[in-house]
Amino acid sequence: MQTYKELLTEKTRIRLTDPDRFEVLNMILDGAFKIAKKDQRDVEEKDLISAVKSEISSTEKAIELIKSKSGDTSKYEKELKLYKTYLPLMKSEDETRTMLQKYFTLDEAERKPQNMGKVISYVKAGLGDEINQYDMKVVSKYVKEYLA
């Protein structure tokens, strides 16, 4: 993934030539800046990734809402594609499933859906900075399967 400064430079460069990408970059950079500001530090790669994921999530929700009202989602679908170009390559579903095996240590009595939050927290803590390499929707899916 590009650094914060590289993305700022790109944003400035495309300001007049690609207004859609400019707007997407603006949202990413603003989100990353706010995340880093909370912790009173410089913007790091994890902040950029977190901002991109947040924007993707918001855009997907907007698309679903618009679709439910039979509206035109083309603008949001274009934005979604642009946001996804700023995500680093994510691990595949098979790699995610393999990674999760080391976290699936509950005995049969503890394997119930009520422990979903506990298991997800355990996985997040164990992954640390590597968490940005995994799609948390896929992680949640496999944790649900494990607990069911």
Side-chain angles (χ1 to χ4, degrees):
M1 172 155 219
Q2 295 170 295
T3 66
Y4 184 73
K5 286 182 181 182
E6 289 169 338
L7 291 175
L8 276 173
T9 302
E10 180 181 346
K11 182 181 128 181
T12 304
R13 184 178 49 79
I14 64 169
R15 182 171 181 218
L16 298 174
T17 59
D18 192 348
D20 294 332
R21 186 172 290 276
F22 173 81
E23 198 56 44
V24 163
L25 267 174
N26 200 38
M27 296 297 288
I28 293 169
L29 293 169
D30 186 48
F33 180 77
K34 287 177 182 174
I35 292 168
K37 187 177 178 182
K38 274 189 227 173
D39 296 338
Q40 297 179 344
R41 58 177 168 72
D42 290 336
V43 176
E44 298 173 2
E45 182 179 21
K46 66 182 179 180
D47 303 324
L48 291 166
I49 294 169
S50 182
V52 171
K53 286 181 176 181
S54 175
E55 292 301 327
I56 287 173
S57 177
S58 297
T59 306
E60 288 172 339
K61 287 176 186 172
I63 289 170
E64 289 304 312
L65 181 64
I66 293 168
K67 278 183 180 177
S68 72
K69 297 182 180 192
S70 301
D72 180 21
T73 61
S74 59
K75 174 185 181 268
Y76 293 97
E77 302 222 1
K78 184 177 180 182
E79 276 183 17
L80 186 60
K81 285 180 186 175
L82 287 171
Y83 282 122
K84 288 182 177 182
T85 64
Y86 289 100
L87 271 181
L89 288 177
M90 304 298 259
K91 300 283 187 178
S92 70
E93 287 200 26
D94 287 338
E95 291 171 310
T96 302
R97 181 181 288 154
T98 302
M99 174 277 297
L100 286 170
Q101 293 307 310
K102 65 183 173 188
Y103 295 101
F104 291 164
T105 58
L106 297 176
D107 61 30
E108 198 64 39
E110 293 176 308
R111 287 176 66 175
K112 46 191 168 192
Q114 297 91 321
N115 287 331
M116 177 97 173
K118 185 188 298 185
V119 175
I120 294 287
S121 295
Y122 180 57
V123 170
K124 284 181 175 182
L127 287 174
D129 287 341
E130 286 183 35
I131 197 165
N132 290 322
Q133 297 174 8
Y134 295 93
D135 183 342
M136 291 310 291
K137 287 181 184 177
V138 175
V139 170
S140 293
K141 173 181 141 183
Y142 288 124
V143 170
K144 251 184 219 171
E145 284 178 13
Y146 168 70
L147 294 174

